[in-house]
Amino acid sequence: MKQGKEIEPPESRFSAVLLAAAKLPGVRINRETYLRSALARHCSEDDIRRAIEETPAAAGIPVEVLDKAANDSIRFETGKVSALSAAAGIPGIFALPATVPADVAQYFGHMVRIAQKLAYLYSWPDLFSDEGDDVDDATMGVLTLFFGVMFGTQSANAAVGKVAGMMSKQVAKKLPQKALTKGVVYPIVKKVAAYLGVQMTKQSFAKSVSKAIPVVGAVVSGGLTFATYLPMAKRLKKHLAGLPLAEPSHRVVEGEIVDGEVVEDHESFASVHAEQHGADTAAVKLEDPRS
């Protein structure tokens, strides 16, 4: 007789939480509205218009300006998510079943928010369609990689660089659908999702412990969120700002990314991944198959 229930794979667990977070009210950032607001104090109207129609890089906006706008957004999102986390810790242990899932969801929701803001500043295309609440597989893939960068996984760094390179060489109007969903980058997306699923479980447990004592739990929970969210957001900012896609005067050609893949691309990516295997082994370690 089969005992217990089937254990959910960590990558499925992470993807389910990410999808739920991406559908929360207020999580999706309107690219045009955000860029106009973030650049208003630093750029001319003509530069802002061009940044919206093409990209900030195509508009020639200096990286220093983008970094300042990015830091402002990171401070705002960090303060907001920390305050919400502290508020969720006030009820104490009797409210844990309700507050912990909500806290994890809003934490991931704010990670999605800052990922979008940083992506738009550093010349990535719109991540969400304006139609409905659906999240396509390519967007799920690139958000997974962005989260992987936040958590410090080297394979995610390499994969994000690969995706950015595809758009930089060809067209930056859309994400490379094939590469992210079934092509050369997809295996890395799955690997990173599995790692994040494990980390998510550990983080949820830590938050549960921090909320067990009323009031004190609020302070600890808010502080824990601040201490984790801020460096993760800064890590993603640093990585995106250093990609060729973010360099000023990178022009965007109208059209859609070409999904074709060549052997040379695969070999190049495999080489990059192999070189970083040593550093990645500790960061992206999947659950022991024997357990």
Side-chain angles (χ1 to χ4, degrees):
M1 185 174 107
K2 186 177 180 180
Q3 295 182 347
K5 62 180 182 180
E6 186 177 348
I7 298 176
E8 184 182 18
E11 60 267 30
S12 298
R13 186 162 59 245
F14 168 76
S15 295
V17 173
L18 175 59
L19 183 61
K23 291 183 176 182
L24 289 174
V27 164
R28 300 190 186 187
I29 304 297
N30 181 283
R31 179 179 174 276
E32 177 177 350
T33 302
Y34 170 68
L35 286 178
R36 184 171 295 282
S37 173
L39 300 175
R41 293 184 297 170
H42 312 289
C43 304
S44 68
E45 177 59 31
D46 186 60
D47 284 344
I48 293 174
R49 178 188 54 77
R50 189 172 170 190
I52 292 170
E53 293 178 355
E54 299 181 57
T55 66
I61 298 175
V63 174
E64 293 78 12
V65 171
L66 299 178
D67 286 347
K68 180 171 177 52
N71 288 334
D72 289 343
S73 291
I74 289 173
R75 281 193 294 269
F76 175 81
E77 294 296 336
T78 301
K80 189 175 179 183
V81 72
S82 299
L84 289 172
S85 182
I90 292 175
I93 195 168
F94 297 108
L96 283 180
T99 59
V100 172
D103 193 23
V104 172
Q106 64 87 13
Y107 185 89
F108 272 64
H110 279 81
M111 288 180 70
V112 174
R113 281 178 58 87
I114 195 60
Q116 291 171 87
K117 290 183 175 183
L118 296 175
Y120 299 154
L121 284 172
Y122 295 114
S123 295
W124 286 69
D126 206 337
L127 301 184
F128 291 100
S129 169
D130 293 331
E131 300 177 1
D133 293 331
D134 292 337
V135 184
D136 66 35
D137 291 339
T139 294
M140 286 288 291
V142 82
L143 285 175
T144 298
L145 294 178
F146 284 171
F147 277 38
V149 172
M150 289 179 172
F151 275 84
T153 65
Q154 293 298 318
S155 58
N157 287 349
V160 168
K162 178 66 177 178
V163 174
M166 291 177 181
M167 294 188 294
S168 181
K169 291 177 182 178
Q170 300 177 50
V171 185
K173 287 292 186 180
K174 285 190 176 182
L175 296 171
Q177 302 282 324
K178 183 177 178 181
L180 283 164
T181 57
K182 49 189 169 183
V184 64
V185 180
Y186 182 61
I188 308 303
V189 172
K190 291 188 66 178
K191 181 181 180 183
V192 171
Y195 167 72
L196 293 174
V198 174
Q199 294 304 305
M200 182 182 68
T201 300
K202 293 178 180 178
Q203 190 176 79
S204 296
F205 176 76
K207 284 182 175 292
S208 298
V209 173
S210 74
K211 287 182 171 59
I213 306 175
V215 183
V216 174
V219 176
V220 174
S221 180
L224 178 63
T225 296
F226 182 89
T228 56
Y229 187 94
L230 181 62
M232 287 197 297
K234 287 185 174 181
R235 193 176 291 130
L236 179 61
K237 174 207 158 190
K238 180 179 179 180
H239 188 63
L240 295 183
L243 296 173
L245 194 64
E247 294 177 1
S249 299
H250 173 73
R251 294 305 306 271
V252 177
V253 182
E254 187 69 33
E256 185 174 346
I257 189 102
V258 178
D259 275 337
E261 297 176 35
V262 295
V263 175
E264 289 78 12
D265 282 342
H266 180 80
E267 291 176 345
S268 174
F269 183 66
S271 175
V272 171
H273 184 57
E275 291 174 4
Q276 298 188 0
H277 176 71
D280 193 37
T281 299
V284 188
K285 184 176 181 182
L286 304 186
E287 294 178 329
D288 191 335
R290 296 172 297 178
S291 60

